[in-house]
Amino acid sequence: MASLRNADMHLRTYIKQHSLPEIYEALLCGLLVMCPENPLQFLEQKIKEMLKKGHNALLWDAFIEEAKKPKFKAMTGSYLEYLFGRDEDQLVSSELLKKAYSFYINNLQKLYFNAWIEYCSMRKARKQELNLKLQVADNHHAHTLLRSIVRQWDYWVKYRKQQQSVAATKIKKVFNDAFMKKILKAWHAETQDSKKKREYFERLERGDMDDYGNFNSSPLREGEDNVSQLPPKAVLKIFSFVDLIDLARSAQVCRSWKIISQNSSLWSSIDFSSVRQYVQDKFVVNTLRKCRLYVIRLNFRSCSSLHWPTFKAIGECKNLQDLNLSECIHLNDESIRIICEGCPALLYLNISHTDVTNATLRIVSRCLLNLQFLSLAYCRKFTDKGLQYLGSGKGCPKLIYLDLSGCTQISVDGFTFLAAGCNSLQQLKINDMFTLTDKCITALLEKCQNILSISLLGSPHLSDVAFKVLAQGRKLAKIRIEGNNRITDSSIKAICKFCANLNHIYVADCQKITDVSLKAISVLKNITILNVADCIRISDPGVRQVLEGPSGTKIRELNLTNCIRVSDLSLLRIAQKCHNLTYLSLRYCENLTDSGFELLGNMASLISIDLSGTNITDQGLSALGAHSTIKELSVSECFGISDIGIQVTDLSIQYLSGVCSYLHVLDISGCVNLSDRTLKCLRKGCKQLHILKILYCKSITKAAAVKMESKLQLLQYNNEDPPLWFGYDRHGNLLHGLSHLEETEEAEENTPKMLSNASDESL
């Protein structure tokens, strides 16, 4: 059938306007698919439906039942479209097929061409990789060959060096042999000369020289006085007690004394502090120049007139081990550098009360690797950085003693730095540190596990936290605490629980310490020194528990100053248990009476006793007078003592000075009832008295004091009125009818009332 593609335009418009191809397609598809028995009736029925519903948007399967409709719709146009010439817009035209074929061929060619390019690129990359591998192989071969050559050259160089070393050793041996021969020859000559000199001085000391032949008949020839005739050890012992200036003067007495005074043992330890008022740089430099080889100890404490020449001379003492430069105001970092570089053997260094800075601690940590004792007390110009130098690098690994008292500029970081490197510390002093906190102590003790002795006097901000950390895991033997109102009995209990080796306990002016602490201390077995001064809550039961414990018979020093609740019962226990007690302080214990003091008179071991501010009278003092071994007695502010208690007779030993022949120190300040007769009795009975304090004794005249002064090393005297805090006037009358301690107690009792009244008024 021919196509209407070339038909008249009017006809084609008519066909398209009335949708004849769609109508024919729908009717034919319906007949072909449905195959009705009466086709004409089927066509009539469907035409009526089209007239009724319209033939717009009529699809080819419109007259096919749903069950018989195909699942896939045709993708191409129908043949009717072709017959009626309406296939211009159809996708499957001959022109489109040509284009599609051409497009497919072009894509296929492009695919093949890209694949060919990729193949060529891959071949090129493989070739480049192969070339690179060949280049690496060439380099490896060249390096291997070069390494082999270098190795052979290195073997050759080592062989040559070995040959040269052997030759140099042989040459050095020949040189040393020749040099040693010369040294031995010179040494032999020197020893012969020294031997001749020694024999000369020995003959000179014995007086065998021809120059002294005329004095053979004299019992005391020149150079052979009584001192020179003593054994050498005895003579050196005598001269060791002579101070520096007198020793220099002794060398000018005679030849024998000059030989003795130049003995090296007398100059191995030099104490310039004893003559600090007269010491100048020139004298020190000349002295050290002569004895710098064998001087071991130097003490310049409070020698404020020394400058750079002295410090330079100290640096030339190569064998120096002990150096004290405390309170040398002209000491600086440069001086310390010269000393440390010149004295690497230093073991003890005291630079307290000086203006040293971090530079000093840096040079100390670098040069003094064997340092064991270091005091930086009251040095305020170094910082935490200085302690970091001590704790880092080489540092001071052998440091066992450190004094940081008064160094309030140190923070927690400083103690942390110190603990990092100085973990071998055994003795630590941190007194007068009002800035010290629990964190500081915790940081320091975290790594310092070997602490045996610690002193924390004047650290009011430490609490039980710090002391419990201090107690755990340590073998403390000595602890000193003072002026801390935050520490409680729990800290003392922890310390006594973990530190069974404690032998020295100093817990003074700690107001919260009670008998509970003494009960904890009573279980310790090695206590020799116990100080609970100004712990006003201590009473007789606590003292009894300590003295009846395993350490009761071992205590040598006991201080109960201002323990106002202690009575004669404690003195009874002391007299019964403390057989080795040598020092006892009962200052301001106002509940003690003569009955208790009489018990102390039977203690043979007691050497020093302080009864200042107590109620002792002549009767109690006479009981102490029966004790012949007391060397130091203090009864100041005891207005119950009169001349009768001090007098001496040949018929009785009841008076103090009659039997205390070994008394060296006596303090009777504030005893207003004493007169000149007291000094007369002491002058006759106490021949070994060295120090006497008679302050505020109005009845003792100045003339008697001056006469007594010629017999003593030190006399402190005035006849002024007693201070108000003594609690009595110059006649012994109590001020306002109350003693000083009673006023204190009354003030403590009234304080809560006053605070309560003040709070009520404020409300």
Side-chain angles (χ1 to χ4, degrees):
M1 176 182 280
S3 174
L4 296 178
R5 185 181 304 276
N6 299 323
D8 183 48
M9 186 66 181
H10 179 73
L11 179 59
R12 294 180 62 186
T13 302
Y14 174 80
I15 293 173
K16 185 176 182 180
Q17 182 178 3
H18 294 282
S19 303
L20 294 180
E22 287 83 358
I23 294 173
Y24 294 153
E25 183 179 22
L27 292 174
L28 287 176
C29 288
L31 288 172
L32 293 176
V33 174
M34 298 300 296
C35 297
E37 294 180 359
N38 190 352
L40 295 177
Q41 187 180 357
F42 177 79
L43 292 174
E44 180 182 3
Q45 183 181 355
K46 297 302 178 184
I47 291 172
K48 288 180 180 180
E49 289 179 4
M50 284 189 293
L51 291 174
K52 186 178 179 180
K53 296 180 180 179
H55 54 79
N56 293 329
L58 187 65
L59 298 177
W60 67 273
D61 58 351
F63 302 135
I64 300 175
E65 293 179 359
E66 291 294 331
K68 294 183 178 182
K69 286 183 179 180
K71 297 181 180 180
F72 301 99
K73 295 185 178 181
M75 295 181 60
T76 60
S78 66
Y79 186 68
L80 292 176
E81 294 287 343
Y82 172 74
L83 291 177
F84 288 101
R86 295 184 56 189
D87 59 347
E88 294 89 348
D89 298 330
Q90 297 298 320
L91 294 176
V92 191
S93 63
S94 58
E95 291 81 0
L96 291 177
L97 288 175
K98 290 180 180 180
K99 290 182 180 180
Y101 178 78
S102 177
F103 178 77
Y104 172 75
I105 293 300
N106 291 336
N107 286 342
L108 189 62
Q109 290 177 350
K110 188 182 297 183
L111 177 65
Y112 290 159
F113 183 75
N114 290 338
W116 178 76
I117 291 176
E118 184 178 356
Y119 171 74
C120 292
S121 300
M122 184 177 63
R123 287 188 60 188
K124 185 176 180 181
R126 288 179 179 177
K127 187 174 181 179
Q128 290 178 352
E129 183 179 0
L130 179 62
N131 292 335
L132 182 60
K133 290 181 179 180
L134 291 175
Q135 185 178 0
V136 171
D138 291 340
N139 292 337
H140 177 72
H141 175 71
H143 289 163
T144 303
L145 184 61
L146 181 61
R147 191 181 298 111
S148 176
I149 295 172
V150 171
R151 187 180 296 110
Q152 293 179 3
W153 176 79
D154 182 60
Y155 290 155
W156 181 82
V157 170
K158 289 181 178 179
Y159 173 76
R160 291 291 297 172
K161 286 185 176 181
Q162 184 178 4
Q163 294 295 323
Q164 291 176 1
S165 177
V166 172
T169 303
K170 292 180 179 179
I171 294 173
K172 188 175 182 180
K173 185 177 182 302
V174 173
F175 172 78
N176 289 339
D177 292 343
F179 187 66
M180 186 60 66
K181 289 180 181 180
K182 290 186 177 182
I183 291 176
L184 291 175
K185 186 176 180 180
W187 176 77
H188 179 71
E190 183 67 24
T191 53
Q192 292 296 326
D193 183 62
S194 177
K195 183 178 180 181
K196 292 179 181 180
K197 290 181 179 178
R198 186 174 65 254
E199 292 176 351
Y200 168 81
F201 284 112
E202 287 177 354
R203 292 196 303 271
L204 179 64
E205 184 177 356
R206 294 193 303 267
D208 295 340
M209 300 298 292
D210 295 339
D211 295 340
Y212 301 97
N214 298 329
F215 300 95
N216 289 334
S217 59
S218 176
L220 293 176
R221 301 186 303 272
E222 182 181 359
E224 291 190 358
D225 55 277
N226 292 334
V227 176
S228 302
Q229 291 179 345
L230 294 174
K233 291 185 178 179
V235 174
L236 292 176
K237 188 66 175 178
I238 293 172
F239 274 74
S240 66
F241 291 100
V242 179
D243 64 35
L244 196 59
I245 292 181
D246 289 339
L247 188 61
R249 291 171 178 171
S250 299
Q252 303 175 6
V253 173
C254 62
R255 295 182 179 179
S256 177
W257 283 31
K258 182 177 182 181
I259 295 172
I260 297 171
S261 64
Q262 291 178 348
N263 190 282
S264 60
S265 63
L266 298 177
W267 297 95
S268 62
S269 178
I270 307 177
D271 185 7
F272 288 98
S273 66
S274 60
V275 290
R276 56 182 174 271
Q277 299 90 345
Y278 315 105
V279 168
Q280 298 296 329
D281 288 323
K282 183 178 180 180
F283 174 73
V284 176
V285 171
N286 292 336
T287 303
L288 295 182
R289 185 178 292 118
K290 295 177 182 178
C291 59
R292 63 178 181 271
L293 296 179
Y294 40 83
V295 65
I296 297 176
R297 300 180 183 85
L298 288 176
N299 186 1
F300 292 97
R301 186 179 184 88
S302 301
C303 295
S304 57
S305 60
L306 301 182
H307 297 80
W308 171 255
T310 293
F311 303 134
K312 184 178 180 182
I314 295 173
E316 297 175 358
C317 301
K318 303 298 182 182
N319 299 317
L320 188 63
Q321 297 181 8
D322 188 334
L323 178 60
N324 190 338
L325 296 171
S326 177
E327 301 180 45
C328 292
I329 59 177
H330 297 292
L331 185 70
N332 54 34
D333 296 333
E334 184 63 19
S335 304
I336 292 293
R337 184 186 66 81
I338 293 295
I339 294 172
C340 293
E341 291 178 353
C343 306
L346 270 177
L347 300 178
Y348 176 93
L349 179 61
N350 188 342
I351 50 177
S352 59
H353 296 276
T354 60
D355 293 333
V356 296
T357 65
N358 293 337
T360 288
L361 299 183
R362 185 175 185 180
I363 196 68
V364 166
S365 63
R366 189 178 66 186
C367 298
L368 305 182
L369 302 182
N370 296 316
L371 191 66
Q372 297 181 7
F373 298 84
L374 177 62
S375 177
L376 300 170
Y378 305 97
C379 296
R380 304 288 175 80
K381 292 193 175 181
F382 72 88
T383 64
D384 295 339
K385 187 68 175 178
L387 295 181
Q388 186 178 11
Y389 290 136
L390 287 181
S392 61
K394 294 182 179 180
C396 297
K398 298 182 180 180
L399 195 65
I400 61 176
Y401 175 93
L402 181 62
D403 189 353
L404 296 175
S405 300
C407 299
T408 55
Q409 74 278 14
I410 302 177
S411 67
V412 178
D413 294 337
F415 287 103
T416 304
F417 295 145
L418 185 63
C422 301
N423 47 24
S424 60
L425 280 174
Q426 297 181 8
Q427 301 180 43
L428 189 62
K429 289 183 67 176
I430 318 179
N431 299 333
D432 297 329
M433 285 276 284
F434 61 88
T435 58
L436 197 65
T437 62
D438 294 340
K439 292 183 179 180
C440 298
I441 295 297
T442 304
L444 179 61
L445 298 179
E446 183 178 358
K447 296 184 179 179
C448 296
Q449 300 293 331
N450 301 317
I451 298 294
L452 299 178
S453 172
I454 188 168
S455 179
L456 300 169
L457 308 183
S459 299
H461 299 298
L462 295 181
S463 67
D464 290 337
V465 175
F467 292 108
K468 290 180 180 179
V469 172
L470 173 64
Q472 295 177 357
R474 288 174 179 80
K475 300 179 180 179
L476 276 179
K478 179 179 179 180
I479 184 169
R480 293 171 60 85
I481 309 168
E482 181 179 329
N484 190 315
N485 293 330
R486 300 184 66 185
I487 183 175
T488 64
D489 293 328
S490 61
S491 293
I492 303 300
K493 291 171 65 176
I495 292 173
C496 295
K497 178 180 178 181
F498 293 103
C499 305
N501 296 323
L502 268 175
N503 56 52
H504 183 132
I505 298 180
Y506 182 104
V507 188
D509 194 17
C510 298
Q511 303 300 318
K512 293 184 179 180
I513 298 300
T514 67
D515 291 338
V516 176
S517 294
L518 294 187
K519 182 179 180 180
I521 294 174
S522 65
V523 301
L524 299 176
K525 300 180 180 180
N526 301 309
I527 297 297
T528 58
I529 298 176
L530 178 60
N531 189 328
V532 288
D534 296 313
C535 295
I536 58 177
R537 297 187 180 184
I538 298 296
S539 61
D540 292 330
V543 177
R544 178 181 59 81
Q545 289 177 332
V546 173
L547 299 183
E548 292 182 351
S551 297
T553 58
K554 300 178 182 179
I555 295 178
R556 292 186 287 104
E557 297 184 14
L558 180 61
N559 193 330
L560 299 174
T561 297
N562 201 25
C563 294
I564 56 178
R565 300 184 182 184
V566 172
S567 66
D568 292 341
L569 292 177
S570 294
L571 297 188
L572 175 61
R573 298 295 180 184
I574 291 173
Q576 292 175 345
K577 301 293 184 179
C578 301
H579 304 306
N580 295 312
L581 190 66
T582 58
Y583 171 82
L584 177 63
S585 177
L586 301 169
R587 295 170 62 92
Y588 306 113
C589 294
E590 60 181 13
N591 290 326
L592 302 180
T593 65
D594 287 340
S595 300
F597 297 133
E598 290 175 0
L599 297 173
L600 301 179
N602 299 322
M603 299 183 65
S605 62
L606 200 59
I607 295 176
S608 176
I609 183 169
D610 190 346
L611 302 176
S612 301
T614 61
N615 297 323
I616 188 172
T617 65
D618 293 339
Q619 180 182 353
L621 191 61
S622 64
L624 291 177
H627 198 325
S628 60
T629 60
I630 291 181
K631 294 184 179 180
E632 183 174 352
L633 175 65
S634 178
V635 287
S636 64
E637 305 178 48
C638 297
F639 55 87
I641 297 177
S642 65
D643 291 343
I644 298 176
I646 306 296
Q647 67 183 0
V648 179
T649 66
D650 295 332
L651 302 177
S652 177
I653 61 171
Q654 63 179 340
Y655 304 113
L656 177 65
S657 58
V659 292
C660 293
S661 56
Y662 296 102
L663 193 65
H664 292 172
V665 181
L666 179 61
D667 186 354
I668 50 177
S669 300
C671 297
V672 295
N673 295 325
L674 301 182
S675 65
D676 292 346
R677 185 180 178 187
T678 296
L679 301 186
K680 182 178 180 180
C681 295
L682 292 175
R683 190 164 55 250
K684 292 177 61 178
C686 300
K687 300 295 185 181
Q688 297 191 25
L689 190 63
H690 299 320
I691 299 175
L692 178 61
K693 300 180 181 180
I694 47 176
L695 303 175
Y696 315 116
C697 297
K698 68 176 183 62
S699 299
I700 297 179
T701 63
K702 185 175 182 181
V706 172
K707 186 176 181 180
M708 187 69 181
E709 187 175 11
S710 60
K711 305 293 183 181
L712 303 171
Q713 292 181 0
L714 175 63
L715 175 66
Q716 294 183 1
Y717 163 77
N718 66 44
N719 57 359
E720 299 175 357
D721 292 341
L724 294 178
W725 51 270
F726 272 34
Y728 55 87
D729 59 17
R730 62 183 302 165
H731 302 292
N733 300 320
L734 291 177
L735 298 178
H736 307 297
L738 293 173
S739 67
H740 172 64
L741 295 176
E742 290 172 341
E743 290 177 352
T744 304
E745 290 182 353
E746 184 179 5
E748 292 177 353
E749 294 175 357
N750 291 335
T751 298
K753 297 178 181 179
M754 294 172 63
L755 293 176
S756 177
N757 293 336
S759 62
D760 292 341
E761 290 177 1
S762 62
L763 292 174

